[in-house]
């Protein structure tokens, strides 16, 4: 416990609340009043400061779980691959056995090997619902062998993944030229490193695509307050599963990127905020940090440069909103992950402990090492103008070979990605739609024509009309097509998919994950979910598609953080792009269009409109005794 507290500044002990809660739960199996009181006293806080964390973060339990606690992913790619059937089978097989507790959880960042579940701390992939009984009696850890590169790939970040001779220890990394770029960086001036990153044109790989060098440029060279670097390893956007593989397969690459970035920013402390569902990843990183310290790549006076830097792991506990950078910072400060309003709380100005803070995604930070190796200008030649470098795209859903592919940004089209790299659609199926950048990205319909302005290498712009297959996989093209490249999670839907079902699954995710601070997001995400749920159950009323759109329109742009857009865009785009399917499920003439629970009885002429609570699945709300089935 004291070691965990020592990872934070002495006057910021509250930050240790989540690490202490994890330790307590690992030891005692749950967090009761005694745990709450003990941790509060240890950190000099009120019990309510601890209790509010236990009730906010889904991974903390107030009641015991079974010896084998199973978390089944219920989010889109897993649901498409049979996770609801898997849950049913688990209930049949283990329902009466008190050794087991089972719950549905949201995306476990392994969508390419759906359906997946965790048994205690271990991830299990590609589970066949029909083999649930065998799985329970012998839950082999089936983490998939890394994919080797497709000819259309250009592997920079994933260059070591899948190599026969590759191990993740520091010796192997050093033999491969590891930490050479850190050695080079500490001989450069800070301004030169930041300028190289600016020249490279690197855009953030976490979702928003903000230019990394520009962000770094917000940190003043003569900053008097401590500067922090936070590596965002929360990877929770449904459809995205790249950071997990970087952490598992090449942790030193990430640490080298972090060390170079810290040197450039004069940040003497970096935190890696890793989602709670990556316990193995956290252990791998802890070991790698230890090795890097032993070799003087981290710690005091690194490589004799006079620069001190420490890197610490901070584990989340199951809340998607911790991926949003200001929610993440609140969480790292030991509070509920309530995003902060921008302005004034831009992290680079008022971030962790109100100090300047740079938050970057795992993949973004890995690129820094390659920019130092190649030089910013050479790196900028990879990809396309304004969309430079390589990026990892993750393909899941209705394709033959789901997986991750590292491409020169924009060098591959959507068609090549789906049909060549991911093996095409399942036998006899046609493409219906693609969600190109994680589940918050607006859906693209397969038969749409897109008018895209394409920047040419000489700086001129031409407008081209193209099909979905022809869209280049880059930031600007996907934005011009009306969606976004986002976090690189491409979810493919074939013609067997019901769009109301699909949207309902997505809506359930956002309704569950809203932090609840803003009324439009908290209420709207729930209404949208309740309406699509009612439509699925045969109770859709004619006004429902319009109501859904109105709710979406009244969330986007009216909230503290971009989760508002993230939850509104799927509804807005699905209803707009697939009006016939939504109309087909909205046939009951019940004016006026009120949310289901407020529809007065007298307006429901003879027809019963089914309604549903948010969580209609057993054990979905919380792990623990209530969830034992
Ligand atoms: C609702 C929401 C969830 C997010 N989740 C993640 C995430 O899981 N991982 C991530 O790197 N960025 C996530 N982001 C983006 C971060 O706020 C931030 O922009 C990013 O970490 C910055 O790093 P980058 O510039 O390297 O992309 C999320 C943003 C929002 C609005
Ligand atoms: S938009 Fe949603 S997630 Fe973001 S702060 Fe508001 S309620 Fe929380
Ligand atoms: S791991 Fe199940 S949807 Fe992502």
């Amino acid at each position: 416990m004291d070691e965990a507290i020592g990872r934070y500044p002495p006057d910021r002990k509250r930050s240790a609340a989540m690490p202490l809660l994890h330790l307590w739960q690992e030891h005692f199996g749950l967090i009761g009043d005694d745990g709450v009181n003990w941790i509060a006293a240890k950190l000099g806080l009120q019990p309510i400061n601890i209790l509010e964390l236990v009730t906010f973060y889904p991974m903390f339990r107030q009641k015991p779980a079974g010896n084998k606690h199973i978390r089944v992913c219920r989010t889109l790619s897993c649901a498409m691959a049979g996770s609801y059937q898997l849950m049913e089978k688990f209930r049949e097989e283990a329902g009466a056995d008190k050794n087991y507790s089972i719950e549905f959880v949201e995306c476990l960042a392994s969508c390419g090997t759906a359906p997946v579940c965790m048994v205690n701390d271990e991830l299990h992939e590609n589970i066949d619902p029909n083999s649930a009984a065998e799985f329970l009696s012998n839950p082999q850890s089936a983490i998939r062998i890394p994919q080797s590169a497709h000819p259309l790939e250009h592997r920079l970040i994933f260059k070591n993944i899948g190599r026969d001779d590759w191990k993740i220890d520091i010796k192997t990394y050093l033999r491969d030229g590891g930490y050479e770029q850190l050695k080079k960086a500490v001989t450069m001036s800070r301004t030169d490193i930041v300028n190289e990153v600016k020249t490279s044109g690197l855009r953030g790989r976490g979702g928003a695509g903000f230019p990394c060098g520009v962000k770094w440029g917000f940190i003043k060279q003569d900053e008097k307050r401590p500067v922090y670097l936070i590596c965002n390893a929360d990877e929770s956007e449904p459809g995205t599963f790249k950071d997990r593989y970087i952490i598992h397969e090449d942790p030193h690459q990430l640490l080298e990127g972090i060390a170079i970035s810290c040197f450039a920013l004069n940040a003497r402390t970096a935190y890696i905020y890793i989602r709670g569902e990556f316990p193995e990843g956290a252990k791998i990183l802890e070991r790698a940090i230890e090795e890097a310290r032993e070799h003087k790549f981290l710690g005091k006076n690194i490589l004799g440069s006079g620069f001190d830097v420490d890197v610490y792991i901070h584990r989340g506990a199951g809340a998607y909103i911790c991926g949003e950078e200001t929610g993440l910072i609140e969480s790292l400060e030991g509070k509920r992950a309530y995003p902060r309003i921008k302005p004034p709380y831009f992290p680079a100005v008022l971030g962790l402990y109100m100090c300047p803070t740079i938050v970057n995604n795992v993949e973004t930070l890995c690129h820094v090492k390659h920019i130092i190796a190649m030089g910013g200008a050479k790196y900028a030649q990879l990809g396309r103008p304004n969309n430079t470098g390589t990026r990892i795209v993750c393909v899941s859903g209705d394709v033959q070979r789901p997986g991750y592919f590292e491409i020169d940004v924009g060098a591959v089209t959507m068609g090549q990605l789906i049909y060549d790299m991911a093996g095409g659609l399942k036998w006899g199926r046609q493409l219906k739609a693609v969600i190109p950048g994680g589940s918050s990205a607006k859906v693209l319909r397969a038969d749409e024509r897109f008018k895209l302005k394409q920047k040419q290498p000489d700086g001129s712009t031409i407008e081209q009309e193209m099909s979905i297959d022809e869209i280049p996989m880059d930031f600007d093209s996907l934005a011009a097509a009306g969606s976004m490249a986002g976090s690189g999670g491409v979810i493919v839907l074939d013609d067997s998919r019901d769009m109301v079902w699909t949207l309902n699954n997505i809506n359930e995710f956002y309704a569950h994950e809203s932090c609840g601070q803003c009324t439009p997001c908290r209420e709207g995400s729930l209404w949208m979910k309740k309406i699509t749920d009612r439509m699925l159950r045969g109770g859709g009323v004619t006004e429902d598609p319009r109501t859904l759109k109105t709710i979406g329109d009244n969330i986007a742009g009216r909230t503290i953080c971009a989760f508002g857009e993230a939850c509104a865009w799927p509804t807005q785009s699905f209803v707009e792009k697939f009006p016939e399917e939504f109309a087909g499920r909205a046939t009951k003439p019940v004016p006026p269009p009120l949310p289901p629970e407020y529809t007065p009885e007298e307006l429901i002429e003879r027809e019963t409109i089914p309604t549903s609570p948010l969580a209609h699945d057993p054990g979905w709300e919380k792990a623990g005794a209530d969830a034992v089935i």
Side-chain angles (χ1 to χ4, degrees):
M1 293 267 183
D2 290 327
E3 196 270 327
I5 295 170
R7 295 173 169 209
Y8 307 93
D11 55 341
R12 304 290 181 179
K13 280 206 291 190
R14 184 171 183 167
S15 282
M18 283 174 69
L20 263 51
L21 283 165
H22 275 299
L23 288 170
W24 190 280
Q25 184 164 295
E26 271 157 31
H27 192 78
F28 295 105
L30 79 168
I31 299 156
D33 289 349
D34 50 347
V36 168
N37 291 330
W38 191 91
I39 293 171
K42 181 85 182 161
L43 299 178
L45 299 169
Q46 295 300 318
I48 188 66
N49 303 137
I50 303 300
L51 188 61
E52 68 170 358
L53 305 183
V54 178
T55 54
F56 183 86
Y57 293 97
M59 285 180 74
F60 294 136
R61 288 194 288 269
Q62 290 174 290
K63 293 182 179 158
N67 292 336
K68 288 190 181 164
H69 183 59
I70 305 182
R71 298 183 173 100
V72 182
C73 172
R74 58 123 249 117
T75 318
L76 187 56
S77 302
C78 283
M80 285 163 65
S83 66
Y84 278 74
Q85 291 90 315
L86 184 63
M87 177 57 121
E88 284 306 313
K89 294 281 182 191
F90 280 158
R91 286 176 60 192
E92 280 167 25
E93 299 295 334
D97 187 339
K98 294 291 175 204
N99 275 315
Y100 288 96
S101 51
I102 313 171
E103 67 173 334
F104 261 143
V105 292
E106 297 298 352
C107 180
L108 289 170
S110 194
C111 328
T113 50
V116 301
C117 76
M118 289 179 78
V119 180
N120 297 336
D121 278 356
E122 262 185 18
L123 179 74
H124 299 268
E125 308 181 274
N126 287 129
I127 304 164
D128 176 3
N130 296 319
S131 312
E134 296 91 87
F135 174 80
L136 287 174
S137 57
N138 185 20
Q140 296 287 339
S141 191
I143 298 236
R144 181 166 76 155
I145 301 153
Q147 267 172 235
S148 47
H150 184 276
L152 285 173
E153 283 190 68
H154 175 193
R155 288 197 173 180
L156 211 58
I157 306 297
F158 272 180
K159 128 178 128 53
N160 297 321
I161 290 191
R163 268 174 56 179
D164 291 339
D165 57 343
W166 185 249
K167 290 205 187 74
I168 62 169
D169 59 85
I170 198 163
K171 273 195 200 141
T172 311
Y173 189 69
L174 288 172
R175 259 205 311 275
D176 201 59
Y179 288 104
E180 287 302 320
Q181 304 318 317
L182 176 61
K183 288 180 193 162
K184 181 174 168 188
V186 295
T187 65
M188 294 168 70
S189 77
R190 298 208 153 90
T191 320
D192 283 350
I193 302 176
V194 175
N195 284 340
E196 289 297 336
V197 175
K198 278 186 186 161
T199 309
S200 76
L202 174 67
R203 293 173 65 171
R205 304 300 195 235
F210 192 81
C212 183
V214 175
K215 195 194 281 192
W216 285 17
F218 295 143
I219 303 291
K220 290 187 235 144
Q221 286 293 323
D222 58 350
E223 180 59 58
K224 300 284 178 297
R225 294 170 294 170
V227 176
Y228 291 99
L229 175 74
I230 299 176
C231 168
N232 190 341
D234 197 59
E235 190 161 65
S236 340
E237 178 70 23
T240 320
F241 46 96
K242 61 192 179 64
D243 299 341
R244 169 198 282 285
Y245 288 100
I246 295 175
I247 291 166
H248 276 249
E249 302 292 334
D250 208 348
H252 282 289
Q253 177 178 211
L254 174 59
L255 289 184
E256 186 172 1
I258 290 176
I260 298 171
S261 308
C262 282
F263 182 78
L265 297 163
N266 201 15
R268 280 153 202 269
T269 309
Y271 291 102
I272 302 177
Y273 189 105
I274 185 165
R275 61 181 298 193
E277 298 90 336
F278 287 0
E280 182 60 25
K283 281 187 200 138
I284 289 170
L285 284 171
E286 295 278 9
R287 266 198 305 276
I289 290 170
E290 214 34 63
E291 288 178 321
R293 285 180 72 86
E294 283 162 14
H295 284 77
K296 305 264 178 257
F297 299 127
L298 296 177
K300 294 247 171 290
N301 186 21
I302 62 166
L303 298 166
S305 64
F307 181 67
D308 305 339
V309 59
D310 280 310
V311 180
Y312 300 110
I313 304 297
H314 184 100
R315 287 184 64 203
Y320 164 75
I321 197 56
C322 295
E324 195 283 333
E325 56 189 2
T326 60
L328 182 158
I329 289 171
E330 283 284 301
S331 179
L332 189 39
E333 290 186 359
K335 295 178 254 169
R336 290 183 164 205
Y338 285 153
R340 297 172 177 172
I341 197 151
K342 298 191 248 184
Y345 297 109
F346 289 108
V349 185
L350 292 170
L352 185 63
Y353 312 131
M354 292 298 143
C355 292
T357 303
I358 292 296
V359 183
N360 274 133
N361 170 259
V362 168
E363 187 190 345
T364 313
L365 289 168
C366 289
H367 279 280
V368 171
K369 163 188 159 161
H370 299 280
I371 291 167
I372 298 300
M374 298 166 74
K378 184 125 185 271
Y379 179 94
Q381 285 169 10
L382 300 175
R384 314 180 88 195
N386 202 38
N387 297 266
T388 60
T390 65
R391 89 166 296 181
I392 303 160
V393 282
C394 316
V395 185
S396 64
D398 294 323
V399 287
Q400 301 264 11
R401 285 195 306 271
Y404 41 75
F405 305 96
E406 186 171 358
I407 55 169
D408 281 335
V409 183
V412 164
T413 62
M414 180 81 82
Q416 286 173 307
L417 181 70
I418 295 174
Y419 296 103
D420 293 350
M421 304 176 92
L425 299 163
K426 303 214 169 115
W427 178 246
R429 288 286 163 208
Q430 302 283 321
L431 184 66
K432 184 167 187 178
V434 179
I435 304 171
S439 71
S440 2
K442 289 189 176 177
V443 66
L444 301 175
R445 192 174 161 134
D447 55 9
E448 274 182 80
R449 298 293 295 172
F450 303 91
K451 281 197 175 134
L452 266 63
K453 286 201 169 74
Q454 293 286 296
K455 237 191 195 152
Q456 301 304 298
D458 64 5
S460 63
T461 310
I462 52 164
E463 190 174 274
Q464 264 179 294
E465 193 179 293
M466 54 181 72
S467 69
I468 195 167
D469 292 349
E470 293 166 317
I471 301 175
M473 292 301 298
D474 64 55
F475 294 96
D476 293 346
S477 301
L478 286 163
S483 188
M484 63 173 180
S487 56
V490 178
I491 306 170
V492 178
L493 303 161
D494 72 22
D495 56 356
S496 69
R497 298 296 164 191
D498 173 340
M499 290 293 130
V500 180
W501 178 89
T502 307
L503 179 62
N504 185 54
N505 182 286
I506 296 174
N507 282 348
E508 185 145 354
F509 174 82
Y510 290 104
H512 186 246
E513 298 300 332
S514 167
C515 86
Q517 271 193 109
C518 321
T519 307
C521 171
R522 183 188 62 242
E523 302 299 322
S525 60
L526 191 56
W527 286 359
M528 292 190 301
K529 188 258 158 196
K530 284 192 171 191
I531 291 173
T532 47
D533 199 282
R534 183 180 67 182
M535 290 172 89
L536 268 187
R537 288 156 182 255
V541 299
T542 46
E543 284 293 337
D544 277 347
R546 215 162 60 139
T547 312
L548 281 171
K549 184 179 177 309
T550 311
I551 299 170
D553 293 349
N554 281 292
I555 302 173
R558 291 170 164 80
T559 57
I560 291 173
C561 85
F563 182 106
E565 282 75 28
C567 78
W569 285 340
T571 291
Q572 288 172 323
S573 60
F574 270 77
V575 173
E576 184 200 323
K577 303 268 175 93
F578 298 94
E580 66 290 352
E581 283 191 44
F582 282 82
R585 297 268 193 172
T587 50
K588 303 232 182 301
V590 184
L594 291 173
E597 67 273 39
Y598 300 135
T599 306
E601 202 56 42
E602 60 272 23
L603 291 176
I604 307 173
E605 291 166 4
R606 289 185 303 277
E607 300 261 22
T608 310
I609 297 179
T611 63
S612 75
L614 171 61
H616 51 81
D617 299 301
W620 194 83
E621 277 278 283
K622 198 83 181 143
D626 287 346
V628 176
I629 33 181

